[in-house]
Amino acid sequence: MSSNLVPKVIPAKLSFLALYNPSLSSSDETVHDQIVFYYSPAASTRAGNNNGGSKDTRNLREERNKRLREVGLAQGMVGFAQSFSSGDAVDSVETEKSRIVLKELEPGWWVLASIDLTQLPAAGSADPTDGRRSAPGVEYSSREVSPPALLMQQLRRAHSVFLLHHGSSLQSLFSKLGRDRFCNILDRYWTRFASNWDVLLHGSPGLDIFRGMKLAAGGELGMGVGEEEWGSGERDVLEELARRTDGLVDLVVSRFGEPSPLQDSNRTGESRKVSAQWELNPWLGAGRHVSASDGVVFSGVGALSRRSLRDPTSRKGPPPGIPPPIVKAAEASLEKASYNVDVSTGERPPEPVTSLGDNETWMKYLTLGYGTTWGGRRSFSGQQQPLAPGSEVESTPTANLKHVEPEVDQTEEKLRLQVQRENTGYFVIGLKGSLEEEEQGGEDDAEDWNSRIPLRTIHVELVNGTAGSPEHRPFIYTFLFQQSTGSLTLGGFYRNLHTYLSPLQRSLCDNTSPGRVEDRIAAASHPYTTVPSPIRSEVNGEPIYNLVFDPRTLTIHSSVPNIPDPGALLAEG
């Protein structure tokens, strides 16, 4: 029976990822020093099972030799292929079972990735002598795997984000930190990237290929008289904020998704008859891809170059775009600072769910609370529990009865708190805690408030600034300040920013709504009339999609929908 089983489909996955510099070794004895980072899912599993001892030492030595063989073999294949390419550079190689990409990110610093192709069950072949079929085999498919150009752009994007948070180049970091610290920093970032890298086609590949700054469906906010309904008034407010705020270099506003129904009911005065699903449906950390209608609505006042907005490090090399930051150490420091302040005030610190939430919490959420959250049978005051045969009920005076608080699902409470913060606005980077809480007390309290304001330094063209990022669904505001800006240490400064931006929420939502895109295009097509003519968004009942890249402004406008996730209704036809 087992011989008739058909092998299951095994999706393509990363085999290994390596960063190396050939100039770091000068002899065969030190050749392993070339590799400054190496990740393999299989090697990580084996490393977790090591307990120390001579056997483990031998395994580690064998693992190091395997790394050298894999990197050397990949280099050899690329070099061999280059001999048939008429001198052109070769940065990818296809084999029967794998796809290999190789790129020099910076002078002397190379990234190498090997992808195991998707394994599909193949029918067994018939024996010509007796007609019997052999056991089912395996067929390797690259159809579902991202093409080499897309894989390379994703690696370049990851490299660019690494430099955004750590320095101007890998070489400068290596010279400044030394090998050990340099490798530790690489390991923290690139291990997280490699373990979460989806090498299958997903999202909107065209955006990564063109490496542009993606605009929202309606483009950027309007400009000047006549475009008030497209956001020219909001643009004036944001530009005025940039001019009048000391130390503020530039700011960018992006829109992702739609406002929460909870926000709609609050702002229109309707009764809050909203399903509990929205109360437990956080906006950040939900794992959704950026949709076709998401993107930038205000790209700043021009203090930073367009190239720097697209490529944070703005080097002469080809760095990629801007994904959500994944620095776990920074997240831990934010939580620690908030915890210390709450403890000092005698309050129980809340535990908001963030995009880097703990695995246990999200597992409870995804399993609808089954497990430790629901626990065993509960007892509630006012309900009589069944008694064993022969037992007696003791009469208890009413005065001795104690009020028992009902058990609360902590996971749901965290989700509700996160949704509430998203709907009212809070700082992802900057002031932690409630924006409604006022500063009180003297110097000691001021020090506590300062501990609640961790900042993040980033590296961009012309400016080595400090970033702050308030969020108010469906918008994320990114502020770039000069490092020496003193107001960044004051809690009142963040509350003033929140107060200044809150009145823009409703008009920004309306004027950047994806549902008004056709009206804006029609108005632009007929600037001399106030009666827009209908435009064609369909041909024979089929929608028209477009992707436009502007090489002058380095922006992308796309209405192409995302590739459906596996298992979705669209993916299944």
Side-chain angles (χ1 to χ4, degrees), residues 263-334:
Q263 291 175 314
D264 291 341
S265 60
N266 287 334
R267 77 184 187 192
T268 58
E270 300 176 358
S271 59
R272 297 185 54 183
K273 297 180 180 179
V274 185
S275 65
Q277 175 186 0
W278 283 96
E279 296 181 359
L280 299 178
N281 186 20
W283 179 52
L284 294 180
R288 293 184 291 266
H289 294 298
V290 175
S291 68
S293 61
D294 297 337
V296 174
V297 298
F298 179 74
S299 60
V301 296
L304 297 182
S305 68
R306 307 295 291 190
R307 178 179 174 83
S308 185
L309 287 174
R310 182 193 68 170
D311 299 334
T313 50
S314 188
R315 296 162 42 257
K316 292 186 178 180
I322 310 177
I326 44 178
V327 184
K328 189 172 183 180
E331 185 71 21
S333 65
L334 300 184

Side-chain angles (χ1 to χ4, degrees), residues 5 30 37 43 79 148 245 366 408 412 439 480:
L5 292 177
T30 61
F37 170 79
T245 305
L366 296 175
V408 178
E412 291 188 0
E439 292 183 64
L480 299 175

Side-chain angles (χ1 to χ4, degrees), residues 262 279 415-425:
L262 296 173
E279 296 181 359
L415 292 173
R416 286 195 178 95
L417 176 60
Q418 176 68 8
V419 171
Q420 179 183 1
R421 296 170 68 214
E422 292 172 352
N423 292 337
T424 58

Side-chain angles (χ1 to χ4, degrees), residues 155-396:
L155 288 170
R156 292 162 69 180
R157 178 181 62 184
H159 168 247
S160 180
V161 174
F162 174 81
L163 295 184
L164 173 68
H165 293 281
H166 292 91
S168 59
S169 67
L170 294 176
Q171 184 60 49
S172 64
L173 277 175
F174 182 83
S175 302
K176 175 182 177 180
L177 302 177
R179 181 183 179 87
D180 291 341
R181 288 187 60 194
F182 175 75
C183 291
N184 288 337
I185 292 177
L186 289 179
D187 187 71
R188 284 199 304 268
Y189 175 85
W190 285 95
T191 296
R192 177 67 68 90
F193 166 78
S195 60
N196 292 280
W197 188 18
D198 187 355
V199 297
L200 297 174
L201 284 169
H202 64 279
S204 183
L207 301 180
D208 287 334
I209 288 293
F210 283 98
R211 292 174 45 238
M213 180 174 62
K214 186 181 183 307
L215 300 179
E220 291 201 55
L221 297 175
M223 300 181 65
V225 178
E227 294 196 348
E228 288 82 4
E229 59 179 324
W230 313 124
S232 63
E234 289 75 18
R235 173 182 287 275
D236 291 340
V237 172
L238 294 173
E239 291 178 348
E240 183 68 13
L241 174 64
R243 285 192 295 267
R244 298 180 58 131
T245 305
D246 293 338
L248 179 58
V249 177
D250 215 332
L251 73 153
V252 178
V253 184
S254 304
R255 173 170 177 149
F256 299 94
E258 295 293 330
S260 167
L262 296 173
Q263 291 175 314
D264 291 341
S265 60
N266 287 334
R267 77 184 187 192
T268 58
E270 300 176 358
S271 59
R272 297 185 54 183
K273 297 180 180 179
V274 185
S275 65
Q277 175 186 0
W278 283 96
E279 296 181 359
L280 299 178
N281 186 20
W283 179 52
L284 294 180
R288 293 184 291 266
H289 294 298
V290 175
S291 68
S293 61
D294 297 337
V296 174
V297 298
F298 179 74
S299 60
V301 296
L304 297 182
S305 68
R306 307 295 291 190
R307 178 179 174 83
S308 185
L309 287 174
R310 182 193 68 170
D311 299 334
T313 50
S314 188
R315 296 162 42 257
K316 292 186 178 180
I322 310 177
I326 44 178
V327 184
K328 189 172 183 180
E331 185 71 21
S333 65
L334 300 184
E335 294 299 333
K336 182 178 180 181
S338 180
Y339 177 88
N340 292 336
V341 171
D342 290 327
V343 169
S344 64
T345 58
E347 300 178 359
R348 180 178 180 83
E351 299 179 6
V353 177
T354 66
S355 58
L356 298 176
D358 59 280
N359 294 332
E360 181 180 0
T361 298
W362 282 106
M363 184 58 66
K364 293 176 182 177
Y365 172 52
L366 296 175
T367 57
L368 302 180
Y370 282 101
T372 57
T373 301
W374 281 16
R377 186 177 301 173
R378 301 179 180 179
S379 299
F380 298 92
S381 60
Q383 294 182 350
Q384 184 174 352
Q385 302 298 321
L387 301 175
S391 61
E392 298 181 357
V393 180
E394 295 183 1
S395 59
T396 305

Side-chain angles (χ1 to χ4, degrees), residues 13 19-20 54 83 161 174 183 265 313 416 435 450 563:
K13 63 181 183 301
L19 294 173
Y20 66 94
S54 58
S83 63
V161 174
F174 182 83
C183 291
S265 60
T313 50
R416 286 195 178 95
L435 292 172
N450 289 339
I563 296 174

